[in-house]
């Protein structure tokens, strides 16, 4: 008993000793604070500005003022804090732009490093020949709530947030088989079929093809079901929007396309839309100056026009940016209101026509794919198969978009490029007969 009491007493003594020590320490602290503030009212804060992770608030001010009670000092501190806060936001801006630059250079595989990122900041123009405008727009913040089921599928299928996407219903079943067989042979794992009916869903399952079945009673698809033909053609652009909102870049693909190499090894990724062309030569694919002649105008008979063959809306790479999503919305909106419009024409008009009276043009960056790597069937059958040098090049894809006998020509392309049958392309006419 006695021993326990003694123990208690010494503990009480020790506690009171501790309390008085704490009081002394606090007093020393307050004194030191005043001394520091007196000696160097500016230096104290400015030397610590990189340590503050939160902006200094009013409560900090009040503590300082009650300890030292000087309104002059208070004003000096206020201006210090203002400049620290300014410097804080300046730093945050710099970090933000550095992070963006890092992300782009990681993504770009040698291309995006050359880009200049401006992000709305003002710049002085550099010397002659060194200036480049913004072309690689920042991607949107992914929003999973748009379609959680699709988000789960994409997490599994996509690689580096990219994938090939094709829409298919039973009408194109035979071509779909050629399509995914060649994708598999080329060793491309990140592709997905949007199955529009039960038949295609089953077909994908039994062939081990990644698919996403639209729920026909879900949201936008009911528009397509109850709407006419034009509403259905708008569906592609509406479905695509969800992929972009989820933060994925999509290589949209028709099914009349033969894959010979992995297209993701050949993309630039510097534009909102990177598309294959319907052009059949450098000029028609990449643009040229077409002179319109009107002799009646005499001295001014020649009018110069800008021409480019349309982008193929059956094979394009689209990055998840605001201009990309705006493009999809514009196209879907026009298709659902105008039954006579053709989706590829609308796609190109929205992409290329400038702002004009009464209408704002789209501000999207675009890039035309190499016509010999991303080859349409006109280039192949009109030019390449007759040219000894071009025949030796191996395309990344061949799109049989110019010919109605798609299935036979797709097989011939496989025979020529994969099975080495040198005469496989020869018996076809240049065009359809
Ligand atoms: C087309 O452009 C490519 C790439 O710039 C070039 O190598 C090729 O010679 C051009 N072809 C013709 C026919 O001008």
């Amino acid at each position: 008993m006695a021993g326990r009491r003694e123990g208690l007493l010494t503990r009480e003594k020790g506690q009171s000793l501790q309390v008085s020590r704490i009081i002394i320490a606090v007093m020393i602290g307050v004194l030191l604070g005043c001394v520091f503030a007196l000696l160097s009212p500016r230096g104290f804060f400015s030397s610590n500005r990189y340590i503050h992770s939160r902006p200094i608030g009013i409560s900090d001010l009040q503590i300082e003022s009650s300890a030292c009670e000087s309104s002059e000092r208070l004003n000096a501190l206020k201006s210090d804090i203002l400049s620290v806060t300014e410097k804080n936001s300046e730093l945050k801006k710099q970090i933000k732009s550095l992070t963006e630059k890092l992300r782009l250079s990681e993504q770009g595989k040698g291309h995006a490093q050359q880009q200049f990122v401006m992000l709305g900041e003002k710049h002085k123009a550099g010397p002659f020949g060194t200036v480049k405008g913004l072309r690689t727009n920042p991607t949107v913040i992914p929003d999973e709530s748009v379609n959680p089921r699709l988000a789960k599928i994409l997490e599994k299928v996509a690689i580096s947030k990219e994938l090939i996407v094709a829409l298919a219903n039973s009408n194109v079943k035979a071509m779909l088989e050629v399509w995914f067989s060649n994708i598999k042979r080329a060793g491309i794992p990140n592709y997905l079929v949007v199955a529009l009916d039960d038949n295609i869903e089953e077909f994908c399952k039994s062939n081990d093809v990644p698919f996403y079945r639209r729920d026909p009673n879900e949201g936008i698809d009911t528009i397509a079901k109850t709407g006419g033909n034009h509403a259905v053609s708008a569906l592609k652009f509406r479905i695509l929007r969800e992929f972009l909102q989820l933060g994925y870049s999509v290589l949209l693909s028709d099914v009349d396309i033969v894959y010979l190499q992995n297209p993701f090894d050949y993309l630039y990724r510097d534009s909102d839309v990177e598309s294959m062309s319907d052009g059949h030569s450098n000029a028609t694919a990449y643009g040229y100056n077409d002179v319109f002649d009107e002799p009646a105008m005499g001295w001014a008979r020649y009018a110069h026009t800008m021409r480019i063959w349309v982008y193929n809306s059956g094979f394009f790479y689209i990055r998840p940016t605001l201009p990309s999503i705006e493009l999809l919305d514009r196209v879907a909106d026009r298709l659902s209101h105008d039954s006579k419009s053709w989706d590829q024409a609308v796609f190109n008009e929205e992409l290329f026509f400038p702002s004009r009276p009464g209408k704002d043009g789209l501000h999207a960056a675009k890039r035309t794919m190499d016509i010999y790597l991303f080859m349409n069937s006109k280039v192949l059958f009109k030019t390449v198969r007759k040219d000894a040098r071009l025949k030796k090049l191996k395309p990344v894809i061949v799109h049989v978009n110019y010919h109605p006998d798609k299935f036979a020509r797709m097989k011939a392309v496989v025979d020529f490029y994969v099975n080495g049958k040198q005469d496989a392309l020869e018996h076809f006419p240049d065009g359809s007969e």
Side-chain angles (χ1 to χ4, degrees):
M1 276 293 263
R4 235 186 104 192
R5 243 189 98 75
E6 251 178 42
L8 272 176
L9 276 174
T10 46
R11 214 185 299 162
E12 273 166 19
K13 260 191 222 163
Q15 273 173 352
S16 63
L17 205 71
Q18 263 183 345
V19 169
S20 52
R21 271 188 195 150
I22 288 169
I23 291 170
I24 292 166
V26 167
M27 284 170 69
I28 291 174
V30 170
L31 275 172
L32 272 177
C34 288
V35 169
F36 268 119
L38 278 169
L39 285 181
S40 101
R42 288 172 184 280
F44 183 75
F45 273 104
S46 57
S47 65
N48 278 290
R49 65 176 174 238
Y50 295 109
I51 295 163
H52 281 291
S53 57
R54 70 190 166 100
I56 295 160
I58 297 298
S59 57
D60 302 278
L61 264 180
Q62 281 163 347
I63 290 162
E64 287 288 335
S65 71
S66 65
C68 303
E69 286 173 340
S70 156
S71 68
E72 238 172 73
R73 197 127 298 138
L74 187 70
N75 284 339
L77 279 171
K78 268 183 186 166
S79 76
D80 266 341
I81 286 157
L82 253 169
S83 83
V84 167
T85 324
E86 265 167 29
K87 277 171 184 151
N88 246 356
S89 65
E90 190 67 35
L91 264 177
K92 270 187 201 154
K93 258 190 225 158
Q94 281 175 11
I95 290 169
K96 205 174 138 196
S97 100
L98 278 175
T99 320
E100 180 66 7
K101 276 179 193 166
L102 185 69
R103 191 188 61 73
L104 286 171
S105 67
E106 275 169 353
Q107 178 200 48
K109 287 180 190 160
H111 295 295
Q113 280 96 327
Q114 297 152 15
Q115 306 307 317
F116 288 84
V117 181
M118 298 208 277
L119 295 175
E121 285 167 37
K122 286 189 175 178
H123 290 256
K124 278 184 185 164
F128 177 81
T130 65
V131 177
K132 279 184 183 170
L134 176 68
R135 67 203 74 175
T136 306
N137 286 310
T139 55
V140 296
I141 297 167
D143 181 2
E144 289 217 353
S145 68
V146 168
N147 189 334
R149 189 165 64 88
L150 179 59
K152 281 221 178 68
I153 296 173
L154 295 183
E155 239 168 67
K156 276 186 236 146
V157 175
I159 294 179
S160 307
K161 293 238 143 194
E162 301 180 316
L163 76 163
I164 299 169
V165 173
L167 275 69
N169 60 24
S170 297
N171 298 334
V172 295
K173 192 172 172 182
M175 264 190 291
L176 183 65
E177 185 166 20
V178 182
W179 183 82
F180 66 64
S181 306
N182 284 290
I183 286 184
K184 287 179 180 181
R185 185 185 6 245
I188 305 162
N190 47 335
Y191 69 102
L192 185 76
V193 172
V194 177
L196 297 175
D197 57 39
D198 296 339
N199 193 343
I200 292 296
E201 179 179 354
E202 284 309 311
F203 189 54
C204 288
K205 272 185 196 159
S206 58
N207 283 284
D208 205 18
V209 166
F211 69 93
Y212 161 60
R213 174 74 162 106
R214 293 293 295 184
D215 181 346
N217 298 313
E218 198 175 57
I220 55 172
D221 292 34
T222 54
I223 304 167
K225 230 172 70 171
T226 54
N229 246 353
H230 47 282
V232 179
S233 72
L235 184 66
K236 169 168 125 182
F237 297 94
R238 298 215 181 211
I239 293 177
L240 208 46
R241 185 189 216 277
E242 293 185 0
F243 285 77
L244 301 202
Q245 274 183 288
L246 294 172
Y248 290 86
S249 296
V250 172
L251 184 57
L252 183 95
S253 177
D254 281 352
V255 291
D256 55 346
I257 291 177
V258 178
Y259 286 76
L260 301 165
Q261 303 185 60
N262 189 335
F264 294 109
D265 295 339
Y266 294 89
L267 296 176
Y268 285 78
R269 300 177 176 82
D270 63 349
S271 306
D272 298 302
V273 175
E274 193 170 341
S275 178
M276 79 171 289
S277 170
D278 270 4
H280 55 268
S281 61
N282 284 357
T284 55
Y286 309 142
Y288 68 106
N289 179 0
D290 190 30
V291 181
F292 175 79
D293 184 10
E294 197 174 354
M297 287 299 294
W299 177 76
R301 63 183 289 177
Y302 300 116
H304 293 258
T305 70
M306 312 307 303
R307 290 196 75 188
I308 184 168
W309 263 227
V310 289
Y311 278 4
N312 191 291
S313 61
F315 189 86
F316 59 88
Y317 178 75
I318 186 162
R319 294 179 64 248
T321 64
L322 291 180
S324 296
I325 293 171
E326 188 184 354
L327 171 68
L328 298 178
D329 288 356
R330 282 171 178 244
V331 175
D333 182 57
R334 271 184 61 188
L335 291 178
S336 63
H337 285 107
D338 180 3
S339 56
K340 284 191 284 291
S341 57
W342 179 35
D343 66 339
Q344 179 157 289
V346 172
F347 179 77
N348 277 274
E349 287 170 13
E350 290 302 329
L351 199 50
F352 286 96
F353 286 172
S355 297
R356 51 211 181 261
K359 188 139 187 332
D360 289 333
L362 183 75
H363 289 253
K366 47 247 174 203
R367 169 180 282 281
T368 311
M369 290 174 170
D370 187 309
I371 54 169
Y372 297 120
L373 293 178
F374 298 89
M375 197 184 287
N376 63 55
S377 56
K378 181 169 174 178
V379 171
L380 177 63
F381 286 96
K382 218 188 100 175
T383 314
V384 171
R385 66 169 173 167
K386 301 169 188 169
D387 183 308
R389 194 175 60 89
L390 292 174
K391 245 175 115 170
K392 289 203 192 86
L393 295 173
K394 188 172 185 177
V396 178
I397 59 128
V398 174
H399 189 177
V400 186
N401 59 325
Y402 269 103
H403 300 90
D405 49 344
K406 291 173 188 297
F407 195 63
R409 289 194 195 235
M410 280 173 89
K411 296 211 139 176
V413 167
V414 174
D415 276 341
F416 181 76
Y417 284 110
V418 180
N419 303 327
K421 277 174 83 177
Q422 286 303 307
D423 60 350
L425 300 172
E426 265 152 39
H427 63 279
F428 292 98
D430 282 6
S432 57
E433 289 182 320

